[in-house]
Amino acid sequence: MADDARQGAELIAAAGTLKARPLGLDTFRENIVVLARCSRVMRPERLRGARKVEVRAGGRTLLASTMIGDDHLVGPDEIGLPQPLFRRLGVAPGDPVQIAPARPPRSLSAIRDKVAGVALDEEAFAAVARDLAEHRWSDMEVAAFLIACASFMSPEETLALTRGMVAAGSRLEWNGRLVVDKHCIGGIPGNRTSLIVAPIVAAHGMTMPKTSSRAITSPAGTADTMEVLARVDLSEHEMREVVERCGACVVWGGRVNLSPADDVLVSVERPLSIDTPEQMVASILSKKVAAGVGRLVLDLPVGPSAKLRDRRAALRLKKLFEYVAGHLGLEIEVLFTDGSQPIGRGVGPALEARDVLAVLAGRPDAPADLRDKAIRLAGRVLEADPELPGGRGEARARDLLESGAARAKMAEIMAAQGASPLSSGLGGLVHEVPATASGLVAQIDCLRIANVARLAGAPTDAGAGVDLLKRVGDPVRAGEPLYRIHGSDPSDFAFAVEAAEMNGGFTVAEASL
Amino acid sequence: MADDARQGAELIAAAGTLKARPLGLDTFRENIVVLARCSRVMRPERLRGARKVEVRAGGRTLLASTMIGDDHLVGPDEIGLPQPLFRRLGVAPGDPVQIAPARPPRSLSAIRDKVAGVALDEEAFAAVARDLAEHRWSDMEVAAFLIACASFMSPEETLALTRGMVAAGSRLEWNGRLVVDKHCIGGIPGNRTSLIVAPIVAAHGMTMPKTSSRAITSPAGTADTMEVLARVDLSEHEMREVVERCGACVVWGGRVNLSPADDVLVSVERPLSIDTPEQMVASILSKKVAAGVGRLVLDLPVGPSAKLRDRRAALRLKKLFEYVAGHLGLEIEVLFTDGSQPIGRGVGPALEARDVLAVLAGRPDAPADLRDKAIRLAGRVLEADPELPGGRGEARARDLLESGAARAKMAEIMAAQGASPLSSGLGGLVHEVPATASGLVAQIDCLRIANVARLAGAPTDAGAGVDLLKRVGDPVRAGEPLYRIHGSDPSDFAFAVEAAEMNGGFTVAEASL
């Protein structure tokens, strides 16, 4: 990559000022600027091969790719700004915008070093995390780095990456209060315990500022399900206010600047299906440390269709979590949980929210597995309270749930976060998937169920998803329904039904009923 | 990545027809379409995460990314097409264009397989090459694949990748004629022997259809230098006509569909500085086999600042070239050459073209090293002629050069390719870099010299570059000029001079003169 002389040259190279012109173009996540072919400040052909420019306005600096626009789109003294960038720069039409060729970040040498099998030091990872957070790397460079790291990364490197990621973003302080959290590595449909644990913990008087993600490949993330109940796209300031008032929140992490380098890594890991233990540990722990969490209970589901297929893999991941958390002063308790089937009955935002509310309301038809798991996890979190006699956490969690205290706390949190922008109704198209044989349910494939729910429209369509009617161990007769598919878009719904008919995800073992 | 059910679903998902609307926007290499937020056929928010669509018009199918345009850019029944895509589809405004969500290519599983250390088979590589050639992979996926391959790739896999790349593009046939070529792996500034070898070989009566690349990280590619003398962006049909008429050509490979998968790999390898032996072999040999070459002379320069630093690395690369070429029926002769310093005097398109013409004209001041190396390489190529007594190749090459036959042939090729669009003048800004000590020139750093030439503006500014006045072994006195820098842009020129002053690239060993 570029050597020193060239870097220096590009850094100082002719910057110029143009007038902001909004373009009615939405480029999604990407920062793009449009320049005239005969632009006053930059000959676009000079950028061939390296199309990145640094754009400055009102104290902000962003990196963007360039395109060339005709006369009617942009004049020689103008810079065309598509929607996201216009907003991110916070300019008005005609405002001055400075533009200069972007210098290739020095941290890119980390890619070559990792390909060559070198272990990187703290300083190198810190530089990588900083440049990732500033969007200085291209997706292609991020992908190269991740794949190179996937072949070898030491525990020390994972710790250094995590540290670098924490340092590259905001860090929340809670005035010495003990801040707790629980987290699950994901992969189990319906597993929405956070929405029950957070109000229990807050009802006990502890602080749990929960940030969560939206689904990208699953039928619902914690943020998607919470969004059925309340607004989730809170700013850092708004989130803080909710936590100060209620003791807990459940918000989407996208507007909070905690470990922003992680967001960049995840945006490439997801489409490439990269899911290494090292990246998972750095991702989760950097978010928690940045959020000011002091004690974390971690849920690792183990099962044949879970992320962790066996105990050996689970144990290896546990040790890595403990090693990194230990060096970051984060107290961690890792629990292996049952990942053999979905948790709760609903899979999809509105269906999962329904289950959560049923558990909080103490309704007799609430899914017992979801309730029991939430109590177990909340109990482990409450054990952090020095006032509570050891071993009393679980009983206290049960009390807070059964007394309605957790339910009241959840209502308080929902009100503080604001009204949901979504309807909580279930999709009106319904199809029941029947058992093809009689016997006992022997296995439920988490991936298959998630796939059917996603095809039906979840999470984009909050009311779409799968409603499970049977669990492992239940007796069924041929023709009896195993689950319901909900949806609202006819073509999506048809695909989901077709996929369920090809392979429903249930294994029924013959048995005399 | 997506499983079968999902792939099937997306394949059939609602395709629709929109009216083509040209947008005055140049997106360079990228295919992008602009849809209305309330488009008739596709809800753009459904594409979140996977923004690729398949666009069909007039029998052509291309993949593109989507953006969203306001009312004044595109209507609900229109599809906005930026310049490159509008041209590539060959439509007129208002023509019907079909659009459907793109299915994720199955070949992507190759990435996960390579990350997991699996050796891929012929079929897998063939699928990868096909999908690369059709631009079905994102840059990020290409980067992931390349880095995963960099950690391990067997000779059998390199062969399979090369075969797949040949099969994924056009293949030239030459009616049974013996087609020859010479190629250099690059890295040595000024090394423009192809422009001398091609006319010698054609003057002898053999066929040499030379396709070459433009520089991306070096100060000139063979195509850049040839462009000073003639047009190089010929189509496959035009290239064929030139070769039929003259016996040889020197054209840019960018408009010829030979191993198009290689162009995609190279477009990611270059910015990432990936340069593994396996990718180099697959890249070069796939182009040669697709061009119908039967015998190839390969120039591997070895030297302290060359791509090959020592004989061991060179030998390993030679064996891999021979293994793959052998299995593809391509006769190959690999020559280790002196890569300890630049070849010729000029570095940069116009300066190199000047040296080439001086050698062809037999001028006494022509660089002897360039002439001698070209004769040696041309001689090895001519040995392929069964009519020529063994060992006579080099003498024949010298005859053809000294008699003026090669010069006349070059004039013929230049006329057939068409007039150059560039001026052959040298940049008017000139600076001489002086020796800081007296003694003998001990070493010239190829990378430093290339960097200075590039900073001065080469190859974008054809007249910019470095003109070497001393070679290794020459005596110099302190203050005597080592080389001249040419340029025309004052700020570029200043950076080049500054870089040369920081480190001129020459090592002078003390000696009593």
Side-chain angles (χ1 to χ4, degrees):
Chain A
M1 268 149 249
D3 82 356
D4 297 354
R6 182 146 183 83
Q7 278 204 355
E10 285 183 342
L11 185 59
I12 327 166
T17 303
L18 294 166
K19 283 187 279 182
R21 175 159 169 181
L23 295 179
L25 197 62
D26 183 349
T27 56
F28 299 88
R29 207 163 62 82
E30 261 183 291
N31 281 342
I32 287 171
V33 298
V34 180
L35 297 178
R37 201 170 290 281
C38 48
S39 175
R40 285 264 163 77
V41 304
M42 199 173 280
R43 288 150 299 169
E45 79 271 11
R46 265 295 156 95
L47 295 167
R48 126 180 155 181
R51 281 167 47 208
K52 284 249 171 178
V53 291
E54 214 166 83
V55 183
R56 260 166 268 166
R60 286 192 206 191
T61 301
L62 289 169
L63 287 196
S65 297
T66 50
M67 291 184 179
I68 299 179
D70 279 5
D71 297 352
H72 68 279
L73 281 181
V74 56
D77 60 344
E78 291 180 321
I79 179 168
L81 300 172
Q83 229 355 277
L85 190 55
F86 194 75
R87 193 164 29 83
R88 278 171 212 154
L89 283 175
V91 289
D95 275 2
V97 175
Q98 277 214 311
I99 179 169
R103 63 179 202 282
R106 265 165 211 278
S107 60
L108 284 177
S109 60
I111 299 175
R112 270 175 307 166
D113 288 345
K114 283 309 293 178
V115 170
V118 176
L120 302 181
D121 60 14
E122 293 246 343
E123 205 183 317
F125 278 114
V128 168
R130 262 195 315 271
D131 285 337
L132 287 175
E134 289 177 13
H135 294 270
R136 291 190 175 273
W137 284 32
S138 68
D139 282 357
M140 152 177 120
E141 287 155 353
V142 175
F145 179 70
L146 286 169
I147 298 285
C149 287
S151 66
F152 178 71
M153 197 162 170
S154 70
E156 290 78 10
E157 286 183 282
T158 308
L159 172 60
L161 174 61
T162 311
R163 273 213 178 104
M165 283 161 72
V166 170
S170 305
R171 194 155 172 177
L172 302 182
E173 297 288 345
W174 300 97
N175 308 320
R177 256 179 292 172
L178 176 62
V179 174
V180 294
D181 204 354
K182 82 134 271 280
H183 195 92
C184 175
I185 60 163
I188 307 299
N191 188 26
R192 280 308 144 241
T193 54
S194 291
L195 270 61
I196 303 164
V197 173
I200 291 177
V201 168
H204 180 70
M206 291 168 91
T207 304
M208 178 166 159
K210 173 83 186 160
T211 62
S212 56
S213 56
R214 290 186 190 280
I216 297 192
T217 57
S218 77
T222 292
D224 296 307
T225 300
M226 184 65 181
E227 199 170 28
V228 175
L229 305 175
R231 208 187 125 216
V232 295
D233 59 338
L234 276 63
S235 67
E236 212 167 289
H237 177 73
E238 290 172 321
M239 167 185 165
R240 211 179 167 91
E241 279 190 338
V242 172
V243 175
E244 294 294 351
R245 202 170 343 148
C246 311
C249 69
V250 182
V251 305
W252 174 51
R255 283 192 63 202
V256 181
N257 192 39
L258 304 178
S259 189
D262 178 53
D263 300 337
V264 174
L265 290 178
V266 166
S267 72
V268 172
E269 281 164 16
R270 294 281 167 88
L272 290 177
S273 298
I274 301 171
D275 209 0
T276 64
E278 292 78 13
Q279 293 300 333
M280 196 190 286
V281 168
S283 171
I284 292 173
L285 294 186
S286 67
K287 291 278 193 203
K288 299 305 170 193
V289 172
V293 173
R295 178 178 157 84
L296 176 68
V297 172
L298 194 71
D299 172 10
L300 299 192
V302 185
S305 58
K307 285 190 184 180
L308 295 166
R309 302 285 159 111
D310 55 48
R311 209 164 166 94
R312 222 180 109 198
L315 208 58
R316 212 167 41 214
L317 184 60
K318 176 177 186 278
K319 299 246 176 212
L320 188 59
F321 266 112
E322 289 168 346
Y323 170 82
V324 175
H327 280 80
L328 293 172
L330 172 63
E331 205 183 312
I332 193 171
E333 183 177 11
V334 179
L335 300 179
F336 296 149
T337 60
D338 176 11
S340 66
Q341 58 180 328
I343 300 283
R345 277 198 288 272
V347 177
L351 286 157
E352 293 173 13
R354 179 205 61 189
D355 287 355
V356 164
L357 292 183
V359 169
L360 286 169
R363 286 176 50 169
D365 62 343
D369 60 337
L370 179 64
R371 185 191 59 223
D372 294 348
K373 184 168 177 183
I375 289 172
R376 179 179 171 214
L377 292 169
R380 299 311 308 162
V381 174
L382 295 187
E383 292 287 342
D385 178 3
E387 312 278 303
L388 204 68
R392 290 285 304 148
E394 198 162 318
R396 173 74 175 144
R398 191 180 309 273
D399 285 350
L400 289 165
L401 186 60
E402 290 177 356
S403 69
R407 182 193 196 179
K409 179 56 80 176
M410 184 62 163
E412 203 184 306
I413 294 170
M414 283 161 54
Q417 290 191 193
S420 162
L422 307 177
S423 130
S424 62
L426 301 186
L429 300 170
V430 181
H431 173 83
E432 292 193 337
V433 177
T436 50
S438 299
L440 292 174
V441 175
Q443 221 173 316
I444 303 177
D445 186 321
C446 290
L447 295 172
R448 285 275 155 200
I449 296 298
N451 190 47
V452 171
R454 210 172 150 89
L455 282 176
T460 318
D461 177 356
V466 163
D467 203 7
L468 297 164
L469 304 173
K470 298 287 178 190
R471 298 188 49 74
V472 169
D474 284 356
V476 292
R477 292 192 180 282
E480 211 183 342
L482 298 170
Y483 56 89
R484 270 186 217 116
I485 305 173
H486 286 267
S488 56
D489 179 282
S491 81
D492 287 352
F493 187 70
F495 290 131
V497 170
E498 194 191 308
E501 272 167 8
M502 267 165 43
N503 182 340
F506 272 65
T507 309
V508 175
E510 271 183 61
S512 47
L513 298 184
Chain B
M1 272 146 246
D3 82 355
D4 296 354
R6 183 148 183 81
Q7 277 204 355
E10 287 185 339
L11 185 60
I12 326 165
T17 303
L18 293 167
K19 283 187 279 182
R21 174 160 170 181
L23 295 179
L25 197 63
D26 183 348
T27 56
F28 299 88
R29 207 164 62 82
E30 262 182 292
N31 281 341
I32 287 171
V33 299
V34 180
L35 297 178
R37 201 170 290 280
C38 50
S39 175
R40 285 265 162 75
V41 304
M42 199 172 279
R43 289 150 297 168
E45 79 272 11
R46 265 295 153 96
L47 295 166
R48 129 180 153 178
R51 281 167 47 208
K52 284 249 171 178
V53 291
E54 213 167 82
V55 183
R56 261 166 266 166
R60 287 192 205 189
T61 301
L62 288 168
L63 287 196
S65 297
T66 50
M67 291 183 179
I68 299 179
D70 278 5
D71 296 354
H72 68 278
L73 280 181
V74 57
D77 60 343
E78 291 180 320
I79 179 169
L81 300 172
Q83 228 356 276
L85 190 56
F86 193 76
R87 194 164 28 81
R88 278 170 212 154
L89 283 175
V91 290
D95 275 2
V97 174
Q98 278 213 311
I99 179 168
R103 64 179 202 283
R106 266 166 211 278
S107 60
L108 284 178
S109 60
I111 300 175
R112 269 176 307 167
D113 289 345
K114 282 308 292 178
V115 170
V118 176
L120 302 180
D121 60 14
E122 293 246 342
E123 205 182 317
F125 278 114
V128 167
R130 263 195 314 272
D131 285 337
L132 287 176
E134 290 177 13
H135 295 271
R136 290 189 176 274
W137 285 31
S138 69
D139 282 357
M140 155 175 117
E141 288 156 353
V142 174
F145 179 71
L146 285 169
I147 298 285
C149 286
S151 66
F152 178 71
M153 198 166 170
S154 70
E156 290 78 10
E157 287 184 280
T158 308
L159 172 60
L161 173 61
T162 311
R163 272 213 179 104
M165 283 161 72
V166 171
S170 306
R171 195 157 171 176
L172 301 181
E173 296 288 343
W174 300 97
N175 308 320
R177 255 178 294 171
L178 176 61
V179 173
V180 295
D181 204 353
K182 83 134 267 281
H183 194 92
C184 175
I185 61 163
I188 307 300
N191 189 24
R192 281 306 146 242
T193 54
S194 290
L195 270 62
I196 303 165
V197 172
I200 292 177
V201 167
H204 179 71
M206 290 169 91
T207 305
M208 178 165 159
K210 174 85 187 157
T211 63
S212 57
S213 56
R214 290 187 191 278
I216 297 191
T217 57
S218 76
T222 293
D224 296 307
T225 301
M226 184 65 181
E227 199 170 28
V228 174
L229 305 174
R231 207 188 125 217
V232 295
D233 59 337
L234 277 64
S235 68
E236 211 167 290
H237 176 75
E238 290 172 320
M239 167 186 165
R240 213 184 164 88
E241 279 190 339
V242 172
V243 176
E244 293 295 350
R245 202 170 342 147
C246 311
C249 69
V250 182
V251 304
W252 174 51
R255 284 191 62 202
V256 181
N257 192 37
L258 303 177
S259 188
D262 177 54
D263 300 337
V264 173
L265 291 178
V266 165
S267 73
V268 173
E269 282 164 16
R270 295 280 167 90
L272 290 177
S273 298
I274 302 171
D275 209 359
T276 64
E278 292 78 14
Q279 292 300 334
M280 196 190 284
V281 168
S283 170
I284 293 173
L285 295 186
S286 67
K287 291 278 191 203
K288 299 304 169 193
V289 172
V293 172
R295 179 178 156 84
L296 176 68
V297 172
L298 193 71
D299 172 9
L300 299 192
V302 185
S305 58
K307 286 190 183 180
L308 296 167
R309 302 285 160 111
D310 56 47
R311 209 162 166 98
R312 224 181 106 197
L315 207 58
R316 212 167 42 215
L317 184 59
K318 176 176 186 278
K319 299 249 176 210
L320 189 59
F321 266 113
E322 289 168 347
Y323 169 82
V324 174
H327 281 81
L328 293 171
L330 172 63
E331 204 183 312
I332 193 172
E333 182 176 11
V334 179
L335 300 178
F336 296 149
T337 61
D338 175 12
S340 66
Q341 60 179 326
I343 300 284
R345 278 198 287 273
V347 177
L351 286 157
E352 294 173 13
R354 178 204 62 188
D355 286 355
V356 164
L357 293 182
V359 169
L360 286 168
R363 285 177 50 169
D365 61 344
D369 59 338
L370 179 64
R371 185 190 61 223
D372 293 348
K373 184 168 176 182
I375 290 172
R376 180 181 168 211
L377 292 169
R380 300 311 309 161
V381 175
L382 295 186
E383 292 287 341
D385 178 3
E387 312 278 304
L388 203 69
R392 289 284 305 147
E394 197 162 320
R396 173 72 176 144
R398 190 181 309 275
D399 284 352
L400 289 165
L401 186 61
E402 289 177 354
S403 69
R407 182 192 195 179
K409 178 57 78 177
M410 185 61 164
E412 204 185 305
I413 294 170
M414 283 161 56
Q417 290 191 193
S420 162
L422 306 177
S423 129
S424 62
L426 300 187
L429 300 171
V430 182
H431 173 83
E432 292 193 337
V433 176
T436 51
S438 298
L440 293 174
V441 176
Q443 222 174 314
I444 303 177
D445 186 321
C446 289
L447 294 172
R448 285 276 155 199
I449 295 299
N451 189 49
V452 171
R454 210 172 149 89
L455 281 176
T460 318
D461 176 357
V466 164
D467 202 8
L468 298 164
L469 305 172
K470 298 286 176 190
R471 300 188 49 73
V472 170
D474 285 355
V476 291
R477 291 190 181 282
E480 211 184 341
L482 298 170
Y483 55 89
R484 268 185 218 117
I485 305 174
H486 285 267
S488 56
D489 180 282
S491 80
D492 288 352
F493 186 71
F495 290 130
V497 170
E498 194 190 308
E501 272 166 9
M502 266 165 47
N503 182 340
F506 271 64
T507 309
V508 175
E510 271 183 61
S512 48
L513 299 182

